Amino acid sequence: MTNEGTAPTPKPNPKQSEEQFRALLESAPDAMVIVDHEGRIVLVNSRTETLFGYPREELLGQPVEMLIPGRFHQQHRSHRTGYLADPAVRPMGSGLDLFGVKKDGTEFPVEISLSPFTTADGVFITSAIRDVTERKQAQEALQASEARLSGILDIAQDAIIAVDQQQHITLFNQGAEKIFGYRSDEVMGRPLTLLLPDRFADQHGAHVAGFAQSPETARRMGERREIYGRRKDGTEFPAEASISKLVQDHTITFTAILRDITERKRAEEEIRQLNEELERRVQERTKALERANEELQEKIAELESFHDMVVGRELRMMELERDNAKLKQELERAKSLRSPSRP
């Protein structure tokens, strides 16, 4: 009997519930494998067939170890026994690399989540199995890329330093260690001002903050003034540097590439001093040549004056000789006029 005005409680429909359960299982994106307390497969979805390459009739009633590489069978049975003693929803093999094996023997990396449920027939375990081959490949590619980048950073002679938005050091390569004298673990997380002379700290922070707000992604540092670094021992050195920024998820990472130009500056100073010395010597030589030229001009003038004197004397001698010749002729004529003529 039922109370008037109260709707009768619907009776559970086991068949409908089972169909809903199977539909839910089939809609799962992962391979779903349900095993009993003996580890035998009692239910799988179509994704399991696709992933492992078995039709489901070949899986049902078989030990779940058929989906695991043989080298793990004994260890898996032990873990399964331990799990049944304390069943709970959790990932399987946390911190371990798990593998599945296909019908053709191909192994592949997987992630597995375990979930127990109890029926009148005992405890059953649902395993959600996901193929993580692509993720592993991406991770391996990323690790390889990071290893290559690390290798490039480590062989670079320049200091490569990355800082976060608070200008705390997040990367310090071997080139930076050699230039600044710090080990990487001594500077990680510390402010970048550790590597700058105190008189530049505030100014540098303002420049970086301004760069963060600018549309530029890279710029050369020290275009208006020379920049300096400070080593662990407190000594300063001239440097040239460039800075770039990378924005990811609204977070900015700054990377500075810095080169110690002490030797270049020393060489430039030596060249400057040599040029000054050369200029001094050229000026001295020029003055000496000018003095020698003046003396030469004086000598030439003296020689010209002497020459003129000698030439003048010669001309006068020639005039005297002409005059003497004329006098002789006149004397001869006069003598001939005074002499009596003979019959």
Side-chain angles (χ1 to χ4, degrees), residues 180 192-205 225-231 234-239 258:
F180 288 94
L192 183 62
T193 51
L194 174 72
L195 308 177
L196 302 174
D198 292 338
R199 64 186 181 280
F200 297 130
D202 293 340
Q203 190 176 16
H204 178 81
R225 60 175 176 80
E226 290 187 337
I227 61 175
Y228 289 84
R230 180 175 62 188
R231 298 186 177 91
T235 58
E236 297 182 9
F237 62 93
L258 179 142

Side-chain angles (χ1 to χ4, degrees), residues 98-112:
L98 304 179
F99 292 89
V101 61
K102 299 178 185 291
K103 183 178 181 178
D104 63 6
T106 303
E107 295 186 12
F108 60 99
V110 294
E111 278 184 354
I112 303 175

Side-chain angles (χ1 to χ4, degrees), residues 2-162:
T2 61
N3 294 329
E4 291 183 7
T6 302
T9 302
K11 294 181 179 180
N13 187 336
K15 183 176 181 181
Q16 184 180 8
S17 298
E18 183 179 350
E19 288 175 353
Q20 290 175 343
F21 178 73
R22 289 180 180 273
L24 181 63
L25 208 64
E26 288 297 329
S27 66
D30 297 328
M32 306 296 291
V33 179
I34 299 176
V35 301
D36 60 18
H37 65 283
E38 295 180 344
R40 295 191 176 275
I41 300 171
V42 297
L43 192 64
V44 298
N45 66 350
S46 58
R47 178 60 184 153
T48 304
E49 295 178 289
T50 302
L51 182 59
F52 288 93
Y54 289 99
R56 69 182 64 198
E57 57 267 19
E58 293 184 14
L59 294 171
L60 298 180
Q62 299 299 318
V64 71
E65 282 78 19
M66 71 182 296
L67 304 178
I68 301 170
R71 63 187 180 279
F72 300 126
H73 283 185
Q74 184 174 354
Q75 186 179 13
H76 181 266
R77 292 189 188 98
S78 175
H79 286 169
R80 178 160 49 80
T81 301
Y83 180 79
L84 286 170
D86 183 23
V89 176
R90 63 173 175 81
M92 177 179 173
S94 179
L96 301 176
D97 289 328
L98 304 179
F99 292 89
V101 61
K102 299 178 185 291
K103 183 178 181 178
D104 63 6
T106 303
E107 295 186 12
F108 60 99
V110 294
E111 278 184 354
I112 303 175
S113 296
L114 303 176
S115 178
F117 66 94
T118 304
T119 70
D121 296 323
V123 178
F124 293 84
I125 302 170
T126 301
S127 301
I129 305 170
R130 177 171 297 177
D131 182 353
V132 294
T133 300
E134 291 184 359
R135 185 199 305 171
K136 286 288 187 182
Q137 289 173 344
Q139 289 175 343
E140 290 172 358
L142 177 61
Q143 290 171 353
S145 177
E146 290 176 344
R148 287 194 295 271
L149 177 59
S150 177
I152 292 171
L153 292 176
D154 285 342
I155 65 175
Q157 296 300 308
D158 294 338
I160 302 177
I161 304 167

Side-chain angles (χ1 to χ4, degrees), residues 217-275:
T217 57
R219 70 166 58 159
R220 185 181 180 85
M221 299 173 66
E223 292 182 343
R224 296 184 181 90
R225 60 175 176 80
E226 290 187 337
I227 61 175
Y228 289 84
R230 180 175 62 188
R231 298 186 177 91
K232 183 178 180 179
D233 62 9
T235 58
E236 297 182 9
F237 62 93
E240 65 178 15
S242 61
I243 186 171
S244 62
K245 65 184 178 185
L246 176 65
V247 181
Q248 288 182 314
D249 299 327
H250 307 291
T251 299
I252 303 177
T253 300
F254 301 97
T255 302
I257 301 177
L258 179 142
R259 178 172 297 173
D260 181 352
I261 57 173
T262 301
E263 292 302 321
R264 184 200 302 174
K265 285 291 186 180
R266 184 179 294 116
E268 289 174 352
E269 178 61 20
E270 289 178 357
I271 291 172
R272 186 190 65 80
Q273 291 179 1
L274 288 173
N275 285 336

Side-chain angles (χ1 to χ4, degrees), residues 282-301:
V282 168
Q283 290 178 357
E284 289 179 353
R285 183 62 177 165
T286 299
K287 290 179 180 179
L289 290 173
E290 287 174 349
R291 288 194 299 271
N293 184 60
E294 290 175 358
E295 293 174 358
L296 178 61
Q297 293 300 322
E298 291 175 357
K299 293 293 184 182
I300 291 174

Side-chain angles (χ1 to χ4, degrees), residues 177-192:
E177 291 181 329
K178 293 176 182 176
I179 290 174
F180 288 94
Y182 288 100
R183 298 191 313 273
S184 177
D185 61 339
E186 291 181 291
V187 300
M188 296 298 284
R190 299 181 68 179
L192 183 62

